[in-house]
Amino acid sequence: MSSERRKPYPFDRIEPKWQAIWDERQVFHAPNPEEEGFDAAKPKFYILDMFPYPSGTGLHVGHPEGYTATDIVARYKRLRGFNVLHPMGWDAFGLPAEQYAIRSGQHPAITTGENVARFKAQLKRIGFSYDWQREINTTDPRYYKWTQWIFLQIYNSWFNPDSRRAEPISTYRGGDPDGVRLAYVADVPVNWCPELGTVLANEEVVDGKSEVGGFPVVRRPMRQWMLRITAYAERLLEGLDELDWPEGIKLLQRNWIGRSEGAEIDFTIANLDDKIRVFTTRPDTLYGATYMVLAPEHSLVDLIVTEEQWPEVRDYRERAARKSELERTDVGKEKTGVFTGAYAINPANDERIPIWIADYVLAGYGTGAIMGVPAHDERDLEFARKFDLPVREVVQPSAGENPIGFVGEGTAINSPVIDGLPSAQAIRRITEWLEQRGAGKGAINYKLRDWLFSRQRYWGEPFPIVWEKGNHRALEEKELPIVPPPLDDYKPTGTGEPPLAKAKEWIRYSDAAMRETNTMPQWAGSCWYYLRFCDPHDDRRFVGEEAERYWMAGDHPGGVDVYVGGTEHAVLHLLYSRFWHKVLFDLGYVSKPEPFQRLVNQGVILGEDNQKMSKSRGNIVNPDDVIEQHGADAFRCYEMFMGPLEQMKPWSMRGVEGVARFLARVWRLLITENQAGSREISDKIKAVDPDKAQQKVLHATIKKVTEDIESFSFNTAISQMMIFVNAFTNAEMIPLLPMRAFLILLNPFAPHIASELWETLNTKFTDARGDITEQPWPSYDERLLVGQEVEIVIQINGKLRDRIKMSIVATEEEMKAAAIATPKIQKLVSGKNIGKVVVVPKKLVNIVVR
RNA sequence: GCCGAUGUGGCGAAAUGGUAGACGCAACGGACUUAAAAUCCGUUGGGCCAUAAAAGGCCCGUGCCGGUUCGAGUCCGGCCAUCGGCACCA
């Protein structure tokens, strides 16, 4: 056996050939309006992939899954006469390049450049039809100049609650504008990761550990930049309704935003001229509040604690502060807390109730204080039982259950103001009652926190901000981009001071002003890249107005028509970019309220062993190896043939071989090798009319492939093309035109082989001109899909009993009569009563017998 | 605990309420070949009956239990399992 197995068809020659042609001729460049070659008569279609972080390990088989899907749709839409925007770029700020810099001293830009070159070569090798003239890189100063510029727009705006929009800060009439800016500095407890030497956003902390690296995260108060995403909570929620996204992702965002409706209630503190405000979704249980709990960090704790209780309170607070996020939020653990010695007055019944502190109350949610209603809240009940606090039932369940521990809706009891009312009414009534007394009001709370936007990293966008006499100030637009200084040592300081602080020269902006040394998080660049793709070379604006209006147009709120990527960004990138987009929309910089209209999530690809691919399991599939062995077209088709795009599914090398065999059959259908070993067009190919059966399978294939591409069902589109090829495999004569149409259908999936075969046919037949990329998509004729006869299924009581062939024009009566008349059916129904007979035209007859 | 998704052959999977398992993989048999690879043809959910051969026939079967319907993988109700998300959010 020869060392090199013979290729079933010469993909190793034709794939590089066509990739070079596409490159040279810039076949997939989409001109902008006003640009040469732009065709204003065509509708636009913007189809986007989530651009990758170019890691050092190169592409894995998960990347090309979504990329192949979008490439099929992009190539299809071009043939359907659309101007298609299909770009690719690099989300290249990030930790691995920085960590490599720490180890090697090599500037991260060099590592990034190498990785980008490798990723790009890999993507090109798969034959994706990206418009490479639009390639962008978030670490390019010409790109992040505009990331910094957008930050300035956010910094220079505030959210006007009356108009519910962001407006320029100059329209703010209140006192201190720094208190309302959408970008602000706050001294808040943040997620500090000592191992990474940086703070992290809530979205980046998973189970008390950093999402990147899995290192422990602790709470620590620090002075940080925040973005006021909470101002947009309601609009981010409302906007979801109009988007064509998977319901699961919408739900994840809704839960993350976490809207809950209820009331804020003020409890006066006994013997003190102050109040504690709590938030509750169940104001109707106010009479059942037998104690209060403040979060250990609550600002009133110092004020109310009695001298006697002070040592215990201080001790508890210190212990709570030292706990990691993981320890603190562990649901299973037992409740803890200490009494402050102080009492509050329940505004409903003027009862004195004790005030405790406990870490099951979170400082960051609501008001950081709760009323304890042990009878109707599981956590409060657990706490009350542990510390012997009274339990008073105030809601009666409808079906004689025990009221204690009942958390659902029922009827108010032991609550003079609302007794006898169902919970929903009781909530409204008691809220009004509290409002009248000035002791409370209806309120809405969100779980969403403001976005912690600064990082103590080197490899990120520097803030366009300087500090002067303790105040921050924006730099001017003409000073952008702010480029980070080169360093000898990229190591984090460990103190929370960013590495940029080491550049003593750089941080000195002027005699009076020092530069901000934090950098932006990795999400900043990806928040708006889809906009830059519309107009990537503009150096006067972040995106040209006309280009933005053209590519983001459409009769729906979102600008990008289709966006494909994994679910891992559900509450990170997909929420952040919606937020930025809405700010830019409010300020009049973009034309649409939402960035992405239709979202499709591809499923994770598992290893052959059905396990998640990982280095340690040794089940990683390298796309380069697959392409080397079977070619890019087989790789693309297999990625799509595996199963539904959205589904999680295991890789199978055997499966790749099967798809490669299919492509080889396509090749051999049209090409034969002569004695001398050179290839020529099969003499079975004739410019003749197809017969009825061939006509039928052709039109069925056009219909199925067209509909399946539209619905992202690529696996069944490929199945149908296999059926088509099988139908012609043993034909004596192969009519030319069905083959032409078939190649166009195959082209989005396997563009290299389709291009080559198309071109080869052109050398012999003169019926078509130009490349396959210039052909119109074939159409089908519904009438040719059915023959003269159809098979009718005959059922008795719903069970298949016989089949007959009938003309497609047979009437229901004829079908019924013919069905009952077959010998087999006669035998089965003889001596029985025939009841109803159900007839489905062209399909089946069901005879009901008793 | 709450929310969501998914359960169909040996495997990946198909099936507008109307022939369950298309298409592919694997397996088995055959053709071609000195031989193998490649290729082509055929068989392939389980069980049972029948037969000289060619055929043929019956029952069961889409996680489990029930319901609606002439007819349910598909619709409804209730369970179970796996995966994913959230998780002391008052």
Side-chain angles (χ1 to χ4, degrees):
Chain A
M1 195 161 116
S2 68
S3 59
E4 172 107 349
R5 212 173 65 199
R6 208 168 143 259
K7 305 274 193 281
Y9 76 97
F11 57 80
D12 52 335
R13 285 210 306 279
I14 65 179
E15 288 176 356
K17 170 187 158 182
W18 286 98
Q19 285 159 18
I21 289 171
W22 298 330
D23 230 8
E24 261 162 49
R25 300 185 195 160
Q26 287 293 295
V27 174
F28 305 118
H29 173 56
N32 266 0
E34 303 290 291
E35 196 179 325
E36 200 191 321
F38 176 76
D39 183 351
K42 292 180 170 181
K44 73 94 190 185
F45 190 76
Y46 187 175
I47 180 158
L48 181 67
D49 292 300
M50 289 185 184
F51 67 161
Y53 171 74
S55 71
T57 52
L59 219 57
H60 56 79
V61 292
H63 287 117
E65 188 190 12
Y67 299 167
T68 303
T70 55
D71 198 61
I72 289 166
V73 176
R75 286 174 178 270
Y76 163 76
K77 285 283 181 182
R78 288 192 196 99
L79 301 191
R80 297 293 313 237
F82 285 80
N83 285 328
V84 174
L85 180 55
H86 187 43
M88 182 44 79
W90 318 105
D91 187 16
F93 277 127
L95 210 48
E98 177 165 327
Q99 285 176 331
Y100 184 73
I102 291 168
R103 288 198 306 274
S104 68
Q106 173 171 287
H107 193 279
I110 297 172
T111 320
T112 301
E114 289 165 358
N115 292 348
V116 163
R118 170 136 182 243
F119 262 69
K120 190 172 175 181
Q122 285 183 301
L123 291 180
K124 285 203 161 188
R125 205 178 165 198
I126 305 172
F128 292 133
S129 63
Y130 294 119
D131 178 358
W132 285 109
Q133 291 183 36
R134 292 175 185 266
E135 178 180 358
I136 57 178
N137 182 328
T138 55
T139 66
D140 181 342
R142 285 166 300 181
Y143 180 89
Y144 68 70
K145 167 183 176 176
W146 297 109
T147 309
Q148 292 168 336
W149 178 86
I150 294 172
F151 174 81
L152 288 182
Q153 308 314 306
I154 296 170
Y155 175 84
N156 285 319
S157 320
W158 68 296
F159 190 84
N160 183 340
D162 295 331
S163 61
R164 295 182 72 225
R165 294 194 307 122
E167 293 177 11
I169 197 75
S170 56
T171 66
Y172 179 64
R173 295 283 163 259
D176 176 20
D178 287 351
V180 295
R181 289 178 191 276
L182 288 181
Y184 63 98
V185 175
D187 226 335
V188 290
V190 297
N191 305 302
W192 167 252
C193 178
E195 197 70 30
L196 295 175
T198 184
V199 298
L200 297 168
N202 289 338
E203 290 82 354
E204 294 171 299
V205 180
V206 179
D207 293 334
K209 293 188 186 126
S210 63
E211 196 198 20
V212 177
F215 304 115
V217 170
V218 292
R219 280 268 162 192
R220 165 174 166 182
M222 279 175 82
R223 210 167 152 76
Q224 296 293 329
W225 283 95
M226 310 286 290
L227 298 190
R228 211 177 294 278
I229 190 172
T230 50
Y232 279 84
E234 196 63 43
R235 278 176 57 196
L236 287 168
L237 210 50
E238 287 167 4
L240 287 172
D241 296 337
E242 304 300 315
L243 297 181
D244 189 12
W245 287 18
E247 279 308 314
I249 298 287
K250 287 191 185 182
L251 204 69
L252 285 178
Q253 289 213 350
R254 287 195 185 104
N255 291 343
W256 190 262
I257 293 167
R259 183 186 200 272
S260 52
E261 226 169 298
E264 283 177 357
I265 303 176
D266 291 333
F267 286 65
T268 49
I269 303 166
N271 309 322
L272 213 64
D273 187 21
D274 216 328
K275 290 171 178 173
I276 297 173
R277 176 166 292 181
V278 301
F279 174 72
T280 176
T281 53
R282 293 297 297 271
D284 61 315
T285 62
L286 179 57
Y287 285 92
T290 52
Y291 66 97
M292 290 187 83
V293 187
L294 305 186
E297 299 87 349
H298 197 284
S299 58
L300 283 175
V301 174
D302 286 335
L303 193 69
I304 62 168
V305 65
T306 58
E307 204 163 330
E308 198 189 355
Q309 291 301 104
W310 171 240
E312 220 182 321
V313 166
R314 185 186 52 196
D315 189 48
Y316 184 81
R317 227 169 25 173
E318 278 169 10
R319 267 184 292 134
R322 269 202 310 275
K323 279 185 190 170
S324 74
E325 251 335 68
L326 192 59
E327 292 171 296
R328 184 134 174 205
T329 57
D330 183 14
V331 190
K333 85 165 195 226
E334 229 187 288
K335 295 270 178 292
T336 58
V338 292
F339 179 43
T340 62
Y343 290 86
I345 309 298
N346 184 333
N349 53 15
D350 294 332
E351 233 173 54
R352 263 165 65 97
I353 57 176
I355 307 172
W356 289 62
I357 66 169
D359 66 2
Y360 83 93
V361 173
L362 308 173
Y365 182 76
T367 61
I370 61 153
M371 59 183 200
V373 185
H376 306 293
D377 183 283
E378 278 176 51
R379 298 149 303 182
D380 294 348
L381 185 59
E382 197 192 322
F383 190 80
R385 291 218 159 121
K386 172 143 184 204
F387 295 106
D388 261 332
L389 294 158
V391 178
R392 184 187 308 134
E393 55 261 51
V394 291
V395 180
Q396 179 66 50
S398 48
E401 298 161 60
N402 182 4
I404 294 184
F406 175 75
V407 297
E409 301 213 338
T411 308
I413 51 169
N414 301 327
S415 307
V417 175
I418 49 173
D419 266 339
L421 292 179
S423 298
Q425 273 183 48
I427 287 170
R428 280 197 294 276
R429 181 73 197 89
I430 191 92
T431 305
E432 282 164 25
W433 186 85
L434 287 164
E435 272 170 27
Q436 280 158 14
R437 264 143 230 273
K441 60 175 196 306
I444 293 164
N445 250 295
Y446 301 92
K447 283 202 274 185
L448 186 68
R449 301 274 75 89
D450 274 342
W451 178 12
L452 174 62
F453 193 68
S454 42
R455 298 290 183 277
Q456 292 70 51
R457 294 234 189 114
Y458 174 78
W459 194 227
E461 301 89 345
F463 283 76
I465 293 285
V466 293
W467 289 83
E468 219 164 6
K469 296 183 194 133
N471 296 315
H472 46 79
R473 165 167 79 75
L475 293 176
E476 284 179 47
E477 191 182 325
K478 63 172 192 283
E479 296 178 75
L480 302 181
I482 310 300
V483 181
L487 295 179
D488 298 325
D489 173 16
Y490 299 93
K491 226 180 267 124
T493 59
T495 61
E497 197 179 26
L500 288 185
K502 295 179 189 171
K504 299 295 176 206
E505 290 290 298
W506 181 84
I507 59 172
R508 227 181 63 94
Y509 176 76
S510 70
D511 288 345
M514 304 284 272
R515 288 183 193 275
E516 168 65 55
T517 53
N518 282 295
T519 53
M520 300 185 198
Q522 197 186 350
W523 312 106
S526 59
C527 267
W528 71 285
Y529 75 112
Y530 57 93
L531 291 168
R532 188 65 179 169
F533 275 139
C534 296
D535 190 21
H537 308 296
D538 197 329
D539 55 9
R540 299 181 318 276
R541 211 169 180 277
F542 75 112
V543 56
E545 273 177 283
E546 192 181 4
E548 192 278 333
R549 264 202 314 274
Y550 179 72
W551 291 114
M552 297 292 283
D555 51 6
H556 39 58
V560 174
D561 296 283
V562 177
Y563 193 25
V564 177
T567 52
E568 67 272 20
H569 296 299
V571 290
L572 293 159
H573 160 63
L574 286 172
L575 194 61
Y576 296 151
S577 47
R578 290 184 62 219
F579 163 51
W580 276 37
H581 196 92
K582 286 186 182 299
V583 175
L584 292 169
F585 176 74
D586 288 352
L587 298 175
Y589 291 117
V590 296
S591 55
K592 290 286 178 157
E594 287 282 341
F596 315 117
Q597 185 56 37
R598 181 173 179 198
L599 178 72
V600 177
N601 289 123
Q602 86 258 24
V604 174
I605 296 182
L606 304 172
E608 300 232 20
D609 54 359
N610 243 300
Q611 302 288 309
K612 226 175 181 164
M613 283 196 196
S614 75
K615 233 183 217 162
S616 58
R617 286 201 185 87
N619 59 354
I620 292 182
V621 178
N622 181 349
D624 290 332
D625 298 341
V626 180
I627 293 168
E628 183 66 36
Q629 274 189 55
H630 303 286
D633 283 335
F635 177 74
R636 294 167 59 111
C637 288
Y638 178 67
E639 288 257 2
M640 296 298 101
F641 187 62
M642 289 172 82
L645 183 66
E646 300 85 347
Q647 196 170 296
M648 185 190 288
K649 47 211 178 282
W651 188 268
S652 157
M653 231 41 182
R654 299 278 200 185
V656 182
E657 286 169 32
V659 172
R661 271 200 283 274
F662 158 66
L663 293 177
R665 272 205 300 278
V666 173
W667 182 265
R668 286 195 309 270
L669 203 54
L670 302 182
I671 303 289
T672 49
E673 241 172 58
N674 63 17
Q675 296 284 326
S678 70
R679 56 187 226 231
E680 48 190 44
I681 296 174
S682 161
D683 8 290
K684 286 184 180 173
I685 310 271
K686 296 269 161 57
V688 295
D689 286 337
D691 65 30
K692 285 235 169 70
Q694 291 171 334
Q695 189 85 271
K696 189 173 161 182
V697 71
L698 170 67
H699 284 256
T701 303
I702 297 172
K703 181 180 158 90
K704 181 89 177 130
V705 172
T706 305
E707 289 173 355
D708 283 356
I709 292 176
E710 296 277 359
S711 65
F712 280 64
S713 308
F714 307 108
N715 55 330
T716 47
I718 294 172
S719 297
Q720 181 62 40
M721 290 192 281
M722 288 172 169
I723 291 170
F724 178 91
V725 170
N726 291 346
F728 282 85
T729 296
N730 289 314
E732 289 294 312
M733 207 186 283
I734 301 174
L736 175 64
L737 290 181
M739 290 302 123
R740 290 276 198 195
F742 171 74
L743 289 178
I744 299 173
L745 300 180
L746 179 65
N747 175 60
F749 297 82
H752 310 88
I753 189 175
S755 294
E756 180 73 12
L757 290 172
W758 183 272
E759 188 188 61
T760 309
L761 286 180
N762 286 359
T763 62
K764 181 164 171 187
F765 301 99
T766 56
D767 60 303
R769 281 161 200 271
D771 285 341
I772 199 164
T773 46
E774 300 163 301
Q775 308 304 316
W777 191 255
S779 54
Y780 60 91
D781 186 341
E782 215 42 86
R783 286 167 305 176
L784 295 174
L785 288 173
V786 274
Q788 288 306 300
E789 284 200 315
V790 281
E791 189 177 67
I792 304 297
V793 168
I794 308 171
Q795 298 179 335
I796 293 178
N797 293 341
K799 283 193 174 165
L800 173 70
R801 284 296 121 111
D802 204 359
R803 304 161 217 255
I804 48 171
K805 284 234 154 64
M806 289 203 79
S807 158
I808 53 163
V809 294
T811 65
E812 293 196 16
E813 280 308 310
E814 285 167 347
M815 284 174 67
K816 183 174 162 181
I820 294 171
T822 75
K824 200 171 157 195
I825 298 299
Q826 275 297 307
K827 208 171 95 195
L828 286 165
V829 300
S830 72
K832 294 184 178 138
N833 288 330
I834 294 182
K836 198 167 142 190
V837 177
V838 181
V839 179
V840 181
K842 296 181 205 174
K843 271 254 166 77
L844 68 78
V845 177
N846 186 20
I847 302 161
V848 183
V849 300
R850 273 176 294 129

